[in-house]
Structures are given as C-alpha cells and as structure tokens.
Amino acid sequence: MYGKVLIPLDGSPEAQRVPGMLEGKLSADAEVIMLTVIPPARSHTVGGQLVDASQEEETERDEALGYCRTVVDRIGGDLTYRCETTVSESVAEGIVEFAKTEDVDLIAMYTHGRKGLAKLIKGNIAADVRKRTTIDVEVFRPAELARV
C-alpha cells in the first residue's frame, strides 16, 4: 500500500484517469499529489511592453493549478489531493526532482505509447522518469485507461 503518490498531469484526459487506476493500491490515509511541470519562462516584449519571465511563470502556475483543481473536483472521493507545479526544462527531470523532494512512494503516470518516428521526436517521458529514479513508477497505457 502506498501512502504518498505523485501523478503528473499533462492536460490529457488519459492522465486525469490515472487516480482511478490506483484503487486498492493506496492506504486509507494516502496523499495524492497532482503535478504539472511548466517550462521556464523567458522575458519578451509584446506590443512594446516587456513581459517579465517571473510574471509569465506566475501566470502559467495559476493556469496549471486551476486546471489541477478542476481535475480534483471531478475525481471526488475520500482521498486527500494536493495540486502542485514545478518549473523545469525537462518534464521527466521535473517529475523526478519533485518526487524526491516530496519523498513519494509511487509515481503513477500515463504514457502516450508513442512508437516509431513520434517516439524519436517526442521521446518517452515515462521511460525517462523510470531511468532517472529508484522510486516505484507505475505507467498506464491508453488501453488500460479506457476501461476507467
């Protein structure tokens, strides 16, 4: 039984179904952390006005947290959910570093199951997370999530 679980969200409906796959694997007092990794912002100009990187990141964080709260509200249930964001150049690295900091027992995530050229171009974040950590990682594929 897991007591502290990290579920990365990527905006896909499949990632939102991952909590439903954890039934029977979590302790009664488990904490589930829903995480969105956002890229670092860069300062830029829009219409002659400088948009500071920190403003841009704060906006991204607010949007990600709002999205996460919407997902958690739809899930409901008795578990304790927490929404978080982290900033990282690499999604996999952001997930792993956050998981270490929070001392989670399990990283449960969706994989797009890319193959061939798409896998070469976009990579496989779930596989990258597995390579970078000793924390248990459970990966769910589209066919599994379709049943939830």
Side-chain angles (χ1 to χ4, degrees), residues 2-147:
Y2 295 103
K4 196 170 190 182
V5 179
L6 178 65
I7 300 175
L9 295 174
D10 65 0
S12 69
E14 292 85 2
Q16 296 172 30
R17 292 188 193 115
V18 169
M21 300 297 292
L22 299 176
E23 194 172 305
K25 297 179 183 183
L26 305 179
S27 62
D29 61 342
E31 178 184 16
V32 180
I33 304 168
M34 309 291 265
L35 176 71
T36 304
V37 179
I38 59 175
R42 311 259 189 275
S43 296
H44 61 280
T45 14
V46 175
Q49 295 288 331
L50 178 66
V51 177
D52 185 54
S54 60
Q55 286 177 295
E56 189 85 11
E57 277 183 15
E58 194 59 37
T59 300
E60 290 275 337
R61 279 184 192 274
D62 289 345
E63 289 173 5
L65 290 172
Y67 158 69
C68 180
R69 287 185 196 106
T70 301
V71 171
V72 169
D73 287 346
R74 271 189 260 144
I75 295 169
D78 296 331
L79 292 175
T80 301
Y81 289 91
R82 180 165 45 115
C83 295
E84 294 287 344
T85 62
T86 191
V87 178
S88 180
E89 290 279 352
S90 159
V91 174
E93 187 175 308
I95 292 167
V96 170
E97 288 305 313
F98 189 90
K100 283 181 194 173
T101 301
E102 288 290 327
D103 195 29
V104 302
D105 305 318
L106 173 69
I107 301 170
M109 59 191 301
Y110 162 67
T111 183
H112 292 273
R114 294 184 183 101
K115 294 180 180 161
L117 188 57
K119 186 175 179 179
L120 284 174
I121 293 170
K122 294 195 174 195
N124 186 327
I125 293 169
D128 201 10
V129 167
R130 273 196 168 133
K131 280 188 235 172
R132 294 172 181 249
T133 189
T134 57
I135 298 168
D136 286 349
V137 178
E138 190 154 351
V139 178
F140 300 97
R141 289 173 172 53
E144 294 170 279
L145 293 166
R147 293 176 274 181

